[in-house]
Amino acid sequence: MNGDASGVGGENFDWNTDDELEVNDFSLSSCSSLTPPNGEAVVGCGEARSTAGCSNSKLIDHFIGMGFSKKMVSKAIQENGEENTDSILETLLTYSAIESSPRGQHDVDSDNSSLDSGGSFLDDFSDIDSSSDTEEIMIPESDVDGKLLSLVKMGYTVDEASIAIERCGQNSSLVELTDFICAAQMAKVADAHFPELPLEVKPKLKHCDFSKHKKRKLSDYAMWKKKRRNGVHDDDDETIHLPNPMTGFGAPGEPCQTISRTLPEAAVGPPFFYYENVALAPKGVWTTISRFLYDVEPEFVDSKYFCAAARKRGYVHNLPIENRFPLLPLPPRTIHEALPLTRKWWPSWDQRTKLNCIQTCIGSAKLTERIRKALEDYDGEPPLRVQKYVLDECRKWNLVWVGRNKVAPLEPDEVEMLLGFPRNHTRGGGISRTDRYKSLGNSFQVDTVAYHLSVLKDMFPGGINLLSLFSGIGGAEVALHRLGIRLKNVVSVEISEVNRNILRCWWEQTNQRGNLIDLADVQQLNGDRLEQMMSSFGGFDLVVGGSPCNNLAGSNRHHRDGLEGKESALFYDYFRILDLVKCIMTKAQ
């Protein structure tokens, strides 16, 4: 479940977060990889000076246009070959970071031919002992350290870089790592307020003080190295390590996994239960959730393996995991499959194939107009610094291309399609577009949930009795309906009148023949009321729900209090009600 976006800008990012929003304000630090050490703005690739008489002159010009010296570029190409541009860029970033350090500057001044020597720049990247506040920087000990240093040079903090490498895996490319950092940074976007166009995007900008920023980043790197060497770990390390890839106990089209699990005795039904919340919650949250839900191991799944949008969630359930099957027809898996009309206008430098997590708010017309003006300043492909600014905003707000130099946010019906709901599902409540986005942003991804619930179809051929807590707009109900599982009796508990109206309208439009009982407050649902309802239709077959994530998601910077927060503490009501249902059903047997 998604909380309403709230947070503040800046560079101090809390990494125990969901990937629901992307990069925050596009600061000077975030574009440092495109700013040369002398602080002057970099011209685009088309403005780079040419290097004649050489077969790889075009490639050299490309990197010179990014601010690297010809000698450095030649050395990097010689080490990596002309074909592997990613490796060339990584090497150049590492060279540049080293060259800009005090020791590196000394080495360059004393030996201008250092790039032509047999050794690598890394050979000279030894300890720095300075009387200033700069900590010692050691030789990178592995490819991981090299990537870490490259990310630091690009303007990201050591904490951001190290957690990205841990989460994405040591073999991840720089592109994957920067995408992950952008996704985590996006979770800090507070609301729909937008900054002015970053200075580095304005064509007239010529100077910025990059040296102090880079010095601090390299100091962070040194401090991280010292902590790791001394075996010191940060107190906020996750206690549960999320899988990579995040496919849970399996996903359609993904390599088959042989997974077996034995449920704790207390978790064995009836009833079946299914609980959902954001995967990247604060430290200890999933440990607590698992402990309360009978020590069942969470299943972490990213919905990008089911549709064209990411949605990292954890699920705790006692359902079988064998013989699952997906909803048919399979939903579009890429942006261009889901939104084919955007393909015509999609620039080659926007290499997104998946959207980020669907949010409760969208980008404004002011932002899209600012992006259009930034792009129209250039006849051809914009400079890399402008590309980075545009891509950061596109990732942050899930903007798609709708014309030449024009981007736009998703429409509500497009969001419904991405999340697996029927077209116009949220119009049934007679609500505003803003409320539609909010209701959708807080919902299940139907295809993902349906895959997990598909095992119930053969088990309940006559239909199912469902207790749906925190129902929202009925993601579980829609999933069961699309699976062809008849809804005999549904008790839906949802605090939002808007969402209750949406579910009720869907129930009527789909000609459901069962009984829908809708209640407003889980805290008012006690044992007597449950026993009264269950005695009339024989108990519940499934208890499903996702309690509010307002105090769990990274978008809530001020009240991210975990399960002790005002809203997210409602998880304990999910457990309380589930335990009451189990006791009542055991007593009736």
Side-chain angles (χ1 to χ4, degrees):
M1 300 287 289
N2 297 343
D4 291 339
S6 65
V8 293
E11 296 182 68
N12 297 321
F13 299 105
D14 181 356
W15 278 85
N16 291 322
T17 180
D18 184 36
D19 65 338
E20 301 188 352
L21 299 170
E22 267 190 344
V23 288
N24 205 339
D25 296 349
F26 188 82
S27 60
L28 285 172
S29 63
S30 67
C31 68
S32 58
S33 63
L34 304 179
T35 309
N38 61 11
E40 294 187 0
V42 184
V43 296
C45 301
E47 301 173 75
R49 62 187 181 86
S50 60
T51 306
C54 178
S55 61
N56 60 357
S57 61
K58 197 169 184 180
L59 184 62
I60 292 176
D61 284 351
H62 173 73
F63 287 110
I64 290 176
M66 295 173 66
F68 302 106
S69 69
K70 179 180 177 182
K71 187 177 293 185
M72 186 184 293
V73 172
S74 299
K75 177 63 175 176
I77 293 175
Q78 180 180 352
E79 287 190 8
N80 297 278
E82 296 182 27
E83 303 299 324
N84 196 340
T85 54
D86 284 344
S87 296
I88 294 173
L89 180 59
E90 287 188 27
T91 303
L92 287 170
L93 291 170
T94 304
Y95 286 173
S96 184
I98 298 167
E99 187 182 54
S100 302
S101 67
R103 173 62 180 271
Q105 293 286 1
H106 172 78
D107 290 342
V108 170
D109 292 341
S110 62
D111 185 1
N112 293 327
S113 63
S114 61
L115 279 172
D116 297 324
S117 64
S120 166
F121 250 136
L122 297 178
D123 296 334
D124 294 327
F125 197 56
S126 55
D127 293 352
I128 296 174
D129 187 9
S130 172
S131 58
S132 69
D133 59 352
T134 303
E135 299 285 341
E136 68 173 2
I137 301 179
M138 296 171 290
I139 301 174
E141 300 166 354
S142 65
D143 183 53
V144 172
D145 291 343
K147 290 177 181 177
L148 185 71
L149 184 56
S150 296
L151 290 169
V152 169
K153 170 61 180 77
M154 292 170 72
Y156 302 112
T157 67
V158 171
D159 285 342
E160 292 169 352
S162 60
I163 293 175
I165 292 172
E166 178 183 354
R167 294 278 176 85
C168 298
Q170 298 183 0
N171 296 324
S172 300
S173 67
L174 271 182
V175 173
E176 293 172 322
L177 294 172
T178 55
D179 278 351
F180 178 89
I181 294 174
C182 284
Q185 289 177 339
M186 190 181 69
K188 310 308 168 202
V189 175
D191 46 34
H193 296 292
F194 304 100
E196 288 298 321
L197 187 67
L199 293 177
E200 62 271 23
V201 178
K202 297 181 180 179
K204 294 183 179 180
L205 179 70
K206 294 297 179 184
H207 298 283
C208 64
D209 188 4
F210 173 64
S211 58
K212 291 182 179 179
H213 172 78
K214 181 165 57 181
K215 180 180 179 181
R216 179 172 56 81
K217 298 293 182 184
L218 293 173
S219 176
D220 288 345
Y221 172 80
M223 182 64 70
W224 178 87
K225 289 285 292 180
K226 179 179 288 187
K227 285 182 178 180
R228 196 177 72 167
R229 182 183 60 200
N230 295 334
V232 177
H233 301 284
D234 292 336
D235 292 336
D236 60 350
D237 284 346
E238 290 281 351
T239 55
I240 291 182
H241 294 281
L242 302 178
N244 184 28
M246 198 179 288
T247 56
F249 300 139
E254 295 301 309
C256 296
Q257 304 180 58
T258 303
I259 296 176
S260 61
R261 67 168 182 169
T262 302
L263 290 172
E265 184 178 352
V268 177
F272 288 110
F273 64 86
Y274 186 82
Y275 175 82
E276 179 258 19
N277 218 312
V278 294
L280 303 181
K283 176 184 177 182
V285 164
W286 279 107
T287 302
T288 301
I289 290 173
S290 175
R291 185 171 70 249
F292 271 82
L293 296 181
Y294 317 109
D295 293 314
V296 174
E297 175 188 359
E299 178 176 11
F300 294 105
V301 182
D302 189 338
S303 290
K304 72 179 183 180
Y305 296 104
F306 291 82
C307 66
R311 203 173 192 78
K312 294 180 173 67
R313 296 293 184 267
Y315 304 89
V316 178
H317 61 84
N318 62 347
L319 295 163
I321 61 175
E322 298 82 13
N323 301 318
R324 292 168 163 178
F325 59 88
L327 287 174
L328 297 176
L330 293 174
R333 300 295 183 89
T334 66
I335 297 174
H336 289 157
E337 289 174 358
L339 306 168
L341 295 180
T342 65
R343 186 190 300 268
K344 177 181 178 181
W345 306 108
W346 209 272
S348 59
W349 45 268
D350 185 348
Q351 298 185 3
R352 290 178 296 157
T353 60
K354 301 276 188 178
L355 293 165
N356 285 300
C357 190
I358 302 300
Q359 297 311 302
T360 56
C361 56
I362 62 168
S364 71
K366 183 179 178 181
L367 171 66
T368 57
E369 177 66 11
R370 188 155 54 239
I371 290 174
R372 182 186 65 79
K373 290 181 178 179
L375 293 172
E376 285 182 349
D377 288 336
Y378 307 94
D379 293 333
E381 188 172 289
L384 291 177
R385 68 185 185 278
V386 178
Q387 292 179 25
K388 185 180 188 310
Y389 162 69
V390 173
L391 289 177
D392 283 346
E393 297 297 339
C394 286
R395 291 188 181 103
K396 181 194 303 182
W397 299 107
N398 277 326
L399 303 177
V400 295
W401 298 91
V402 296
R404 177 175 172 77
N405 297 331
K406 294 181 180 178
V407 292
L410 298 169
E411 291 296 320
D413 60 319
E414 293 172 331
V415 177
E416 289 168 343
M417 177 267 298
L418 289 165
L419 293 177
F421 289 94
R423 187 179 180 87
N424 293 324
H425 180 75
T426 51
R427 290 188 67 182
I431 60 176
S432 67
R433 292 177 81 250
T434 299
D435 283 339
R436 292 180 70 186
Y437 286 119
K438 183 176 180 179
S439 294
L440 287 162
N442 286 322
S443 70
F444 286 155
Q445 203 290 321
V446 172
D447 299 277
T448 308
V449 172
Y451 184 68
H452 297 159
L453 300 182
S454 62
V455 296
L456 299 173
K457 185 171 185 179
D458 291 337
M459 301 173 67
F460 297 96
I464 195 170
N465 291 329
L466 173 68
L467 174 56
S468 179
L469 305 176
F470 317 101
S471 297
I473 58 175
E477 290 86 337
V478 172
L480 291 166
H481 174 69
R482 291 189 60 191
L483 286 166
I485 301 175
R486 187 166 75 91
L487 299 171
K488 296 192 301 182
N489 297 281
V490 174
V491 176
S492 170
V493 189
E494 169 58 39
I495 194 70
S496 166
E497 183 179 3
V498 164
N499 290 343
R500 293 200 305 273
N501 290 338
I502 291 173
L503 178 56
R504 173 65 67 176
C505 187
W506 170 83
W507 186 272
E508 295 169 352
Q509 289 176 347
T510 52
N511 299 315
Q512 298 292 328
R513 297 182 180 180
N515 301 312
L516 174 62
I517 303 171
D518 49 13
L519 306 174
D521 192 351
V522 293
Q523 293 180 307
Q524 301 300 317
L525 186 55
N526 55 32
D528 291 339
R529 186 71 187 275
L530 283 168
E531 195 163 13
Q532 179 185 1
M533 291 187 296
M534 292 167 65
S535 63
S536 65
F537 49 75
F540 292 106
D541 303 307
L542 174 66
V543 179
V544 66
S547 55
C549 68
N550 300 55
N551 308 114
L552 305 183
S555 54
N556 192 335
R557 297 296 303 277
H558 300 292
H559 304 287
R560 195 162 181 250
D561 304 321
L563 294 176
E564 303 309 314
K566 179 180 178 182
E567 287 83 12
S568 293
L570 291 171
F571 158 73
Y572 297 108
D573 282 286
Y574 176 89
F575 165 72
R576 174 183 63 83
I577 294 169
L578 172 61
D579 214 42
L580 280 172
V581 171
K582 288 176 68 71
C583 291
I584 294 171
M585 294 184 69
T586 301
K587 178 181 176 182
Q589 287 178 350

